[in-house]
Amino acid sequence: MGEINLITIIIIAANILISFKGFNDDSFFQKFKFNIADLKRGAKFQIFTSGFLHVDTTHLFVNMLTLYFFANVVIFGIGSVGFLIVYLVSLILGNLLSYFFHKDEPHYTAVGASGAVMGVLYSAILLRPDMMLGLFFIIPVPAYIFGIGYLLYTIYGMKKRLGNIGHDAHFGGAVGGYVLTLALAPWVFENHLLMVILLAVPIVILFVLQKMGKL
């Protein structure tokens, strides 16, 4: 993996400190989590702040571990500033997509860095589609296959409301990582054009399903 970059350390530290504050201070957690009713009352800051809160230590650990594994790939490909842009914008886009799909559900709430982390993961996949990822940490799968499969599963999860998981935030974050990486590293079009097209397929499917009222 090489040495962990300073910007990655800062992001992980911010997530840990803010999450543990939320674990021990319910009023803090309630104020800064993503909540549709609060957002409609003007608490727009929750679109950003909720991305640094987590439900529990397992939720926090999984997100930060995933970030650690893929941060350096993105930093090497588009630089530290590009990585930071991907992380923060993917976080916001993930929550905006959640708002879009749940705006009529005043009791809907969410927390977690998953949207931002998915943005980093999909950026890494575009930059290095030849990577092998471990499905369930065991089964080796080419990165682009994992990316396509996961987005298709996410669409299914959004449609069926599977589990207590913010599938829409995951999808929005992944789209953020996809679009921003293409904007910041246009050489990807030349080097990995087929992968660019293949990874766009689930995004098109989501758009079509939404237009048809199937989500």
Side-chain angles (χ1 to χ4, degrees), residues 58-175:
T58 300
H59 187 206
L60 173 64
F61 176 76
V62 170
N63 274 335
M64 294 305 99
L65 182 65
T66 305
L67 178 64
Y68 168 75
F69 279 142
F70 296 102
N72 277 356
V73 177
V74 179
I75 291 169
F76 180 80
I78 58 177
S80 295
V81 173
F83 165 76
L84 184 61
I85 290 170
V86 166
Y87 185 90
L88 295 178
V89 175
S90 296
L91 185 161
I92 292 169
L93 287 178
N95 282 335
L96 286 175
L97 192 67
S98 285
Y99 184 85
F100 176 80
F101 279 106
H102 299 283
K103 59 183 177 293
D104 297 323
E105 303 170 40
H107 299 295
Y108 182 85
T109 64
V111 293
S114 299
V117 172
M118 289 305 298
V120 171
L121 172 59
Y122 275 80
S123 177
I125 290 172
L126 270 178
L127 294 166
R128 287 283 310 279
D130 58 325
M131 286 190 303
M132 296 297 290
L133 305 184
L135 187 63
F136 306 117
F137 299 101
I138 299 172
I139 306 168
V141 177
Y144 71 94
I145 295 293
F146 175 88
I148 295 166
Y150 188 84
L151 281 190
L152 291 174
Y153 166 76
T154 300
I155 293 172
Y156 179 77
M158 291 168 66
K159 185 174 177 63
K160 297 294 185 180
R161 301 279 182 113
L162 293 178
N164 188 27
I165 299 171
H167 295 287
D168 26 42
H170 290 187
F171 198 99
V175 172

Side-chain angles (χ1 to χ4, degrees), residues 7 32 110 115 132 147:
I7 191 65
F32 293 107
M132 296 297 290

